[in-house]
Every structure is written in C-alpha cells, then in structure tokens.
Amino acid sequence: MKSLDRICVLALQRNLKELNDIAREKELAVQKASAALSRLQAMRRRLCTELENEKDFEFQIFLTLKENMLEMWQMETEQGKYEIFHEQLKKYEEELEMQYQERAKARIWKEKIAALQAEENQRSREKKEEEAQKEYEGKHKKMLEDAERNHKKAVCFLRKSMARIHEKNAKEEVKTQEHMERRIQAVLSLKTSITSNREKLRTLQVWNKAMAFEAKKQETQMREAILAKGGNVAKEIFLHKQLLEHEKEKQAHRERQKSRKIEIVSQILREKASIRKREKGQSCTKAIKGGGKLEDSLLWRMKTWQYIEKTCKRSAGARAQISKEEMEPKQLATRVEKKEILEKKMEEFQSGIFRKQIVSGRECKRRTFYSKPSCIHFKDFDVGEIYKKKIVLINASYSVNFFRLVGISEWLKDFISIHFNPPGKMSSGMSCEIVVTFKPMINETVEGEVMFMAQTGPFSVPLKCTAKRCILALDKELIDFGSHVVGETISRTINLTNSGALGTRFKVQTSAGDSSKCRATAKSSPGRMVTRHFSGCVPEKKVSNSLVTPVVEKKDQICADHGEETPCSAAQEEQQRAETSLSGGSTEGLGQDILNSRAGLDTGNAHDLVELSAEETPVEIMLGKVTEGEIGPFSSVKLQILFVPAIPGDVRAEFVIMFDNPDCKPLCFSAIGVSIDVPVWVPNPNVDLKICMYDRLYQDCIVIRSRAKATLRLKFEIRKELSKHMELLPKTGYIQAQSSFSVQLKFLPRHSLPEDAGSYFNEETRILEVPVTTLIGETAKKVNFTVHAIVTTSDLEISPARINFGYCTIYEAVQANVKLTNKSILPQEFGFVGLPEFVEIQPNDGLGILLPLESLTLDIIFKANKAKEYSFELTCKSEINRQFKLSCRAVGVHPPLELSHSLVQFAATALNSVSTATLYVINSHVSVNPVTHPVPRIGKGEVAPVGPTSFEFRVPEACPVTVTPSVGTVLPGKKSLIEVSFRPTLPDQQIREEAVRRLCRAAAAGAEIQKRKKDEKKEGKKSSISMSRQQSSRQLVRDGGNKYLTSLNSSEQPKSEELKPDSDAYMAAQAFLMRNFRGSFEKYIIPCFVASGRIDERKGSENLSCSPYNTLYLELHCPAVAPAVVVASDNGKNTVDFGDVAIGHRMMKRITIQNISPEKLELRFSVLNPNGPFLVVRPVEMLEPGESKPLVISFCPNENKWFFEMLDVRTAKTSLTLSITGHGVMPSIVCSVEEILNMGYVIAREKVTSTFKIQNTSMLTLRYSMQLDSLSSTRDKDQQRIPSFIMSSLQRTEFVGTQNYSGLSVFSIFPTEGEIVAGKSQDFTVTFSPDHESLYYSDCLKVVLFGKEIAHVIRLKGAAREHPMFVEGGVPLDVPIESLAVTSPPSSQEALNGELQEPAKSILLVLEYIEGESPPVPARAELKVGSIQTAQFASKKSVEFSLESLPLLQQKGFTIEAVKGTLERGQVKCIGVSWVPPADFRPDDPLLVTALLTLKGDIKETYQILFMGKVVSAYAPTK
C-alpha cells in the first residue's frame, strides 16, 4: 500500500506541476488580453459620451414640445374668438332667410295682381276682337258689292283685249310661215354652195400637186448649186426647210389671231343681241301661239335639219369618192402601208408607256383613278363671279401609279383654270387634291371634261357648268268644282312652284289656241238640244254621251259624220277661230259650249242642235285677283280660280300660264264644274252640324233664296224616321219674289237614333246624313239640301269601376291606377270633385281635358290617417255636368313600429362607389289605452301587445343595396339605428355579353390577319418561279395548318357563361362599359316585416309570427353615374391585391388612376388605419381632364393573417373605392442540419465540402441570403468586447473561432443568395479550407430571409492538422482562442537531427461512477483515434497507436478495450474506457491516473491521457 501511495503522490505532484504550467500559460494569455481590455474601456467612454448627447437631445425635444403646446393653446384661444363670429354669421343667415321669405311673399302678391290684370286685359281684348269682327263683316259686304261692279266693268275691257290678242296671233303666224320659207331658201342655197365647193376642192388638189412638183425641182436645183460651190448639201437644205417651216408657222399664227378676233367680235355681237331680246321681251308680252302651229313649226324645223344632215353626208361621200378616183393606185398602196406601219408603231409606243394591270393572272380593265366627286358641277353660276371646287383623285389600281394633267376641253379653256401640283408616284389607295377655278363669261350651260394621262392609260373627269334657270310646275292640272246651284260663287286655288334658281314673270290667261269652254244645256223641250261647234265636226256618237263629258277636238283631226270623211275648209276654220276668241273674252254672253244630252233624252234627237249667240253666254269659270306677277327662285305662288254657275249644265275652261323667260314652256290646266237650275235654291246645300252629342239640343238657321218673280209656297219635309230627333220650324212658308227665307233647324239626338235612322246613320263612322226636301208650290220641283252631323256619346268610362286598396299602413300611401276613357269624339273636360282628405288624384289633382277617344291613366293615392275600415265613393264630373262614380274600399293599419324615413334619396353615386344613409326603427307603443293616443292595430282588430318588437328587412335579389342590421329587436320607447348602403355595379350579364362581343371581334381580326398572310404567301408563291418542290410542299403544309386554325377559331365561339370574373376579357369589358356608362336611375322598395316579441339568436325569427299587413316599406331612389376617376391599370380592377408578403417585409404597388371627366379634379383620400400595414406612399392631388397619374401604395404586414382595407379617392361629386388586400405570411423553412455542422479533421491547406438542404414550407417564394459571422460588417466592433473564454458558456454569443492567417474565410458557402419557390428546396455546399493547424476553427452561418429576418443558425466547426492523425475526446485543457503571437517554425538543425517530436498534449478523461444502482454499472468514456484521408504523405499510409501504463490503469479499476492498433487513411477507431472503483477507493478523493498515448505516422505524437474517476451518488442532484 505504501508503494501505491507513493506512486499516487508522485502522480499528483506531476499533475500539480502540469496544472501550474497551465495556470502560468493562462496568466500569460490574460496579460496578452490587457490590450483588449483597454479597447473595451475606450468603448465604454465613447458610449458614455453618446449617452450624454442623447440626454441633451431629449432635453431639446422637451423644449420644442413645450413650444408646440404653447402654440396649440394660442390656436385654441383664437378659435374661441372666432366662435362669436360664427354665432353672428348664423344670426345673419337667419335674417337673410326671413328677408328671402318676405320677398317671396311680395313676389307672389305681385304675380297675383299681374294675373288679375292679365285676365282683365284678356276680356277687353275679346271685346275688341268682337267689334273688329263686326267691322270686318261690314267691310266684306262692301267689298263684295264693289267687286260685282268692277266685274261688270272688266268684262268690256276683256272683250277688247282678247280681240287685239287674236289679231296679234294671226300676224305672228304669218311671220312664222315667212320665216320657214326663208330657211328653206337658205338650205337650198347651202346645197348649191356645197356643189361649188366641190369644184374648188378639185382645183386646190391639182394646185397642191403642182406646187409639190415645183418644190422638188427647186430642191434638186439647190443641191446642184451647193455641190457646184462645194458646200454641205444636208446642212443647207435643213436650214432652208427650217426657214420655210418658220414662215408657215408665222402665217398660221396670223390666221389664228384673225379667227380669234372674229370669234370675239361675233360673241360680243351675240351678247348684245341677246340683251336686246331680253329688253324687248320685258317691254312687250309675246303672242300666244296655238298648239297646232307650234307643232307645225317643230315639224318643219326637224325636217330641214334632217335634209341638211343628208346633204352633208352625201357631199362628204361624193368628195371622198372623187378624191379616191383621182388618186393613183401606187399612192393608195403606199398610203395603206404607211398607215399599217404607223398603227404598229403606236401599239409599240403604248405597250412601252402604258402598263397593264394584272391581278390574279388576269388583266384588270377597270378605271385606275377615281375622283370625288365623280363630276365637277358648278350650279347656278353668275357671270363675273369666281367659283372654286376641290376634287380628290384616288389611286384605285393595285400598284404604284402616277399621272399628269393633259388639259381640258377646248371650249372650256376661256372659263376654266386648274391648279395642280403633281404628287409624283402614288401608292394604291393614296389620293391627291386638284383645285378647279371657274370664271363664267357667258350665261350659258357648258359641258366638257378634264383629261389626265396615267401610267396605265388616259382617264378624264367630267365637268359641267349649269346656268341659272327656271323650273316651273303646277301641283295639279285639273280643278273639279263639282255640282253647284246657279248663283253661287265657289273658289279654288292652284299652286305654281319654281324649284329653280332663276325668277321670272308670269301671266295667267284663258287658252286661245284650243276650245276654251264647253257646255251642255237642256232646253225646255225634251226633243231639242243646243250645241256650239268650234273646230271641225263632232261625231254623233260623242254628242249623245253622258251629261258631264266635255268634247275637245284638235285642229288636225279628221271630221267625220257616221263614218263618212269630209275635209274642213279654211273658211270654217277662220270662223271657228273667231268664235273661240269671242268665247274666251266674254264674261256675260254664252261661250263655246257643247250641249250634251241628259240621261232621260233619246240619242236620236242629237241632230236637233241650234247655235246660241255669243252675247248670251256668260263666263262662269274665271281667274281670281292674281293673274300676273313675279315668281322668285325657289318659291311658289297661289292662283285663285272662281266658279260662278249661271246656266245649268257642264262647264269646262282651259287656262295657260305664259312666262317672260323664253326657255320656260307655257303651262296649261283645266277647270270643270256642273250648274243646276232651280227657281229656289239653298246657298248652303250641305248643312253641317259638325259633331253633336246625345241628349243635347243643336240649332242652325237655313237660308233659302228665290230668283222667281212671284211669291212661292215652300213646304219642308223631313224623313219620318228622324221626326223624333229633328225638326224644321216653320214647316210651311212663303218666299217673296227675289228674296230669301230663313228656316230654323232643331236637332236633339236621342240614344235611339242608330235604330230609328236606319240607312241614314252609319254606326261605324257615326255619321248622320239626312236629306231634307223643300217642295216649291204646286209644281213637282223640289230643292234638296242635306243635313250632316256626326253623333257621338258624352260618356266617360272609368275602368275598373271599383277599387280595393287593401290594407294600408298610416305611414305610407297606396296607389291604384284607374283608366279614364273619353268615348266621345269631342274633347271633354273632367274633374274629380269633393275628394276626402285621405285621397289624392294625380296628375293635375284629378282635373284635365280628354281628347277624342283618348284614355288617361290616373293615380288614385290613398293614405290612411287612422286604423279603421274605409268605404267611400269618388265623383268625376264632365263639362256638361254629367257625373260618374268610382267606389273605393280600404283598411287602415297602425303597425307597432315605424320608420323615421320611408323614402331615402341617395346622391348620384359612381359605379363601384358606396353611398350610405341612416334611419331609425322606432317603437313608440308604450300603452294599450286607445284614449290617450292611437294604438297599433289592423283595422278594428285587436291592439298589439306592449313589449319588445322585432323587425326584418328583406332586400330583393340583384339589388345593389345593403341594410345593416337587417334583423333586430326594439324595446318600447326605444329606437334602433339602421344603415342603408348603395353600391351600384354593372350587371354581370351585360359585362359578359360585351366581353363575348370583344372576343368575337378580336377573333375575326385574327382570322383576317391570317387570311392576309395566306394571300401574301400565295402571291409570293406565284411570283417566285425558281422555288423548289420541297419548299412548295412545306408552304402547302403551313397553309393547311393555318386553314385548320382559322376554322377552329371560327367554330369555337366563346360563351358568356364560361367567362370567369377574374379573366382579362371580363375585366376589359367591365372597364369599357364603365367608361361609356351614361347613368341610370332605379327605384327599390324594401319590405320590413314586423313581429311582436324578441328574436331568439339560436332559432332566429322562426319562433315569431308576423302579420303581412303590419309590413313597413322603405323606398330607395338610387341614381348611378359614371365615375369621374377610374383605374387605368390592370384592366380597370378596383382591387389592389398584394398577395402573400412575408412579415416585416415591405411591398410597393403602383396603380394608375385617370380622370375621364371633362373637368379638373382635386383629389382627397380617406384615412387608412395608422396602425395597419397599408400606407399611401405617393398621393395624387390634382388631375387634369384625361390625365393619368400613378398612385403608390405599400404593404408591410406585422402579423400572420389577412389584411383588408378600403381606400376612398374622393372628388367633389363622386368617389372611387379601392379594395386593398394582402396576406401577411410567416416564412418557414426546414433545414437538414439543425444546429451544428462539423466538417471534421482536415490536413492544413486542404479543402473539404459538405452539403445540406433547406426546404420552403411556407406559401410564398422566399428570397434568402447566407451570411457568415466572420464576414460580418460588425466583426471589428464585436472583437473589441471581452473575450469569450473569460465569460461563462451561458454568456457567450460569438461563435467565430480560429481564422486563416491569409485573411480569407475558412468556411465558404454556395449559393449565397437567391429564391426558393413555395414547396421547393435548395441544396447548399459548405467548403472548409484552413491554412494552418488548429482544433478550434468555427463560424456561424445565418439564413436571412428578405434581408431582415434570421430564419436559421448553423454553427460550423472544423479542425486542421499538419499531420494525418488526431485524437478526439475528453475534456480539452487548452484555450479555444489562438495566441496573437505566431509560433516560429523549428530550426533547420533540429529538423536534421532526425524525426521531429511534438511535446505531449494533455487530455482529461472523466469517468463518473453512479453509486447505489443495482446492478452496478461501470462508468464509461471513450477516445477517438483517427487517420485523415489525404493525398499527402504517400510514404506512410497507416497510423499506429498504443497506450502505455496499462497495468497501473487496471490496478486502479480502469479497463481499456483497444490498447494498440493500426489505422488506415480515413479510418477512425474508438478506445473504450470503463471504470469500476476499487475496494479501497474513497469517494471524497477523486482518482487520477496518467497514461501516455503514442501515435506514429509521418511523425510520432504523444498524448498524456489523464483518467479521472469519480463516484457520484444516484440520489444526489447532479449539476
């Protein structure tokens, strides 16, 4: 035991020595760290100074805060001062309002006074009008009398003037015959001159031949003379020819000047002659030519022109024959050859100049240039003015083309000038402008064309200049007066219209060339008729025709009697002409009339006709006041024609309108009428009672006149069927000679009129036509007149006749529609009178006028004033005091709840904006006593109980209205606040339809583009001749694919139901409709159901029963307008979606807003949540019309949740609401390495790599960066802190250990930054590259997300050796921080002495034995011995290790598993050590045994292993 104690003491002494050495080394290290301590002290001082500065800054902030508080208090005091001014302003406004009310009252009083004055003025005006009407009637009678006197005087003058006119006509006919004879003589002289000109032509041809022969002789003589002189023959002859040509041109120029002068002089003379003709035409009226003579002159004129044309053609043909006979056969042959050569050259020239248009392999022969307008037309020009017109020429060819101006027609050059700038080459579809100026010199219509020459050939544009002219027309050619009694005067009008730009004078007169009037009268004897002939004989068949058929024959008609032809002599024609002239001028005598037989006469008596004298024939159809005058351009004149029947029978008159303008042809029209002869007549044979109502009396006075010279007895007879309804008073009377008699007509239609009248009454048209007969004396003569009336009812129909308003609450009004129909064809006034206070009728308070057969819808508005049953009648009165009843019923309801407002009128709200209104649901039912106040009940039913009452608003579907809260309970005497929001949007179906239309248009455009591409490819195929077969086959395949695509696009048309609301097409259509929205106005009625009791939160309103009669109604007026500001970006979406954003990270979004209104807008923004994640970074203040500006919004979430806010962009009228959403996401990753990544042992200056994986488990893409603490920017500051080995392990925060001497990082990682998509992973490679030996290489790797958040920390560790062997395990006894001093390498002499031997390194291995366990378990520990895998040290591939002092260890209770062994490269072995305390071991004295571990590789290394054994109680707490 003593020896063992000695050994232990020695071992302890050795251990103490070693511990002393370690303590000394640590003291040295502490001394070396004093420099770091001084740096820390300096840092402390710097921090103290900074802290003092911060305190100073805090004091300054406190002072500024105090000053701001002072300013705030000053502002509050000033605001208190201004409150007095606000009160004064309110008082002033109230006073102003009172003044405005007083002014309004005064204005209303003045308006009432003005209305009374206006009524008085209206009455006085009516009186004056009555007096004026009486005066007018008196004047009118005087005028009629004066007109009769003047008429008689005018008859005499007319006879004389007509005679003079006929004489002038005869003279003019003689003149025209003479003129035609002179023209015939001129034609004959022209024929003789043509024959003489032929002879002259022959002599000229002979003379030309002789002259040519002489010229040739002179030329040969000149050549001989020039040759004799030795000169240049060609030059001299060329000069001589030029001189001759110059002389010819001079001569031709003189002749052109002479001809031009002659033309100018002749034109001046023509203009003078035309001016004289106009003056003569204005001074004297031209004679009227007969129709037959005009036709004769036209025939003569046509014949002479035909004869001239024939003679000219014959002379030209003869001239051509003579010239051909005179020509020699040789000359003819040479001429033919020259002509053929010239034609060939012209074809070659044209083919060289003009290019053909070839389209699709065919020549296109249509026009290459089109003009707009197609014709240059100068209308209605004035001489001396200048007119300009612009035309546009468009290249309609399929290629580039150009053109030039050739000229205009020869006869237009003096008037037309063209301003044209050649545009050069023009592409297809391009255009150019040409200005044409027209300066008229003469007042004539001219036509021509403007000629151009294009690359593809000539073309022209027609040009027309139209002078002012008269275009006259009548609206009708026949005036039919109908049948009238002798003595009446009837007037008709005919319109003469001038639709031209030139005015003229006109004159209306009876026609002189044809039969002016035709008459058929019946004598007293039935077998005789008197007929007047005018032009030729009339066939018997025509004479015996019906009464009113007029017979008018032409002059050149063959006279026939029963089929036998007889020529008309000239004497008879003269006699007839004289008779017609007399009949045209007479007004009182008989005219040229044909008396046709009446229906009751035989045709055999037609030959018994006698002539009447002209003096007895009066003029019955005559002209009114306007017979001549001026008709202006684009105007019309009304001409009056009078019919005064004088003799019974048919009358016809022909009239002609003559004009001063020689270009205007005369216009003719006819007038016909029938006269009836009775001794007594009714001036007004049609008594029109207009429209009459049943059971109303109508009266009229009928005047009967007599032309007899004796008193006649009159008896009036009415049809028996109408005796109950119509009466004439008196029924019998006497009319004095040549006087009048008045009869009173009374008409009182009964409701039985349609049955009594029979055929006299038409039930469909309700027209009554009653013939009334007046018997004249004892004779059978009768005078009939007809009473016309339209009989109508006076009923007003109310449909329906009964109205049941149903149940109506006292807080609302119920409206029912009633249709009021006027069954009469007369307008009727109506009015609802005696209305009760709870009924209102609109429009116009139930008063108005109904037009014939008109229906008017009336609104009957019932508003109950208490809860009871109502039954009442409404009375409608007509203007004739007829009453029509309407019965009504209703039940008044007093509901338990009431609304503070039953009508909400929202302001004009922009689309996607929100307007909000508030109202209250009030429960005022607090007592059941009906005496003190009205109680809620339905009609006369039970009273509602007092207590909590529930309500529920039911908003209809597709209604853009939200009611909050929609369900609730109101306690008695309380009220509940209700908020109603209106958010107008576009209908979804409308957006879908617009989207489909836009998609179809886009598809059609795409198909058209593909078609164009195919056409271009086809054209390319045709043009490229040298294309190979392989290329053509590829092109065919490509075209086939395009065809398939186009067919697919055309077949698959999108459906509106398939479109998604978040698709681009849907959003684009919505933005388009929003920009083009024109506004809308909608009315919504929302019911509010009321039930007594409280709503159960679990069951809802199911446990309550509500009556539908207690329902309240809320009416909403919702106007929607287009927004002034819209979102222009992202297809107009109003939602700003930031998506998933990492917590703490800030994301910015730019939204473009545009002003689509015509006004300048000032924008204001609503306040976002100041503690929220959203922020408006760059607000927009002003927007000009049409201007767009960006709005920047940022999102920085601070929690892992969804965020939503509304941002209102407000303008003066509307607002734009932006919905801002974003999702704050906590980024999460999973790393394959948790905390420590040990790179193991490496040979110094070698590298080793390791890979780990990071997976993104969050829902967003993560942007990462890998940061090493050794490369941190704060590394220098961190190094100034207290070293980590001095602090405890809990206080250590720095993980950076030994670093390379070279300054490069020991650890490197790749990649250092990038992105990891959601759900994906990324591999990282760590490289360990030490440059010297150390066991404490370490670093800290941080995974930083989005440059802010540290998501994961990995500690990197590694060790480096100079030799390929290491021992690992136990407790390290050295400091993990390297010394700042660099150890010097061993000397060369020591290296030469042999194998280097490192000093022994100590390793403490602690084994703790737990006492008290059963069975006892030995304490265990282990050491690792390893060989580093390296390419160095090739000579020594294995490493040997051995452990000494094994017996001593066994003696102390230690058991070693592997004492020695060999290690290959890269192999690691564990040396297991177990310890069981020996029997003599004392627990209070730890056991310490030392052993040497030797490693042999390239060098020999020795490690001193300190085995320490401890005994620990199983029940003692372990630290």
Side-chain angles (χ1 to χ4, degrees), residues 840-855:
E840 183 183 354
I841 300 178
Q842 293 297 333
N844 202 20
D845 295 329
L847 304 172
I849 298 175
L850 279 173
L851 296 178
L853 303 176
E854 184 189 9
S855 295

Side-chain angles (χ1 to χ4, degrees), residues 813-828:
V814 178
Q815 176 181 322
N817 294 328
V818 170
K819 185 180 283 186
L820 183 64
T821 305
N822 181 11
K823 294 293 184 179
S824 173
I825 58 174
L826 283 174
Q828 292 196 78

Side-chain angles (χ1 to χ4, degrees), residues 984-1001:
T985 56
L986 291 169
D988 182 68
Q989 186 61 29
Q990 185 181 358
I991 298 171
R992 291 178 184 276
E993 289 173 359
E994 178 63 25
V996 169
R997 280 196 293 271
R998 292 171 74 88
L999 287 173
C1000 290
R1001 284 198 294 269

Side-chain angles (χ1 to χ4, degrees), residues 484 486 515-522 529-534 543 546-552 589-598 609-610 612 616-621 643-653 673-677:
H484 296 280
V486 173
S515 60
S516 64
K517 292 187 179 65
C518 309
R519 164 166 294 291
T521 60
M529 291 189 74
V530 182
T531 303
R532 171 81 187 197
H533 298 278
F534 342 67
V543 173
S546 65
L547 282 171
V548 292
T549 307
V551 181
V552 181
L590 291 170
Q592 299 172 354
D593 302 327
I594 301 171
L595 300 175
N596 296 334
S597 64
R598 294 186 182 269
L609 300 172
V610 296
L612 296 174
E616 296 177 1
T617 306
V619 176
E620 295 177 89
I621 298 177
F643 176 40
V644 184
I647 299 171
D650 298 340
V651 183
R652 182 186 181 93
V674 180
S675 302
I676 303 170
D677 183 19

Side-chain angles (χ1 to χ4, degrees), residues 288-306:
I288 302 166
K289 297 180 180 180
K293 289 184 180 181
L294 286 169
E295 289 177 0
D296 291 344
S297 62
L298 287 169
L299 286 169
W300 273 106
R301 197 176 295 168
M302 293 295 293
K303 286 178 182 177
T304 52
W305 281 114
Q306 286 174 4

Side-chain angles (χ1 to χ4, degrees), residues 1013-1015 1017-1018 1021 1032-1046:
K1013 287 181 180 177
K1014 282 197 288 181
D1015 294 340
K1017 287 176 185 177
K1018 286 179 182 177
K1021 272 199 235 175
S1032 65
S1033 65
R1034 285 177 186 171
Q1035 188 69 23
L1036 284 169
V1037 170
R1038 206 174 295 142
D1039 291 344
N1042 287 336
K1043 283 180 184 176
Y1044 174 74
L1045 284 172
T1046 53

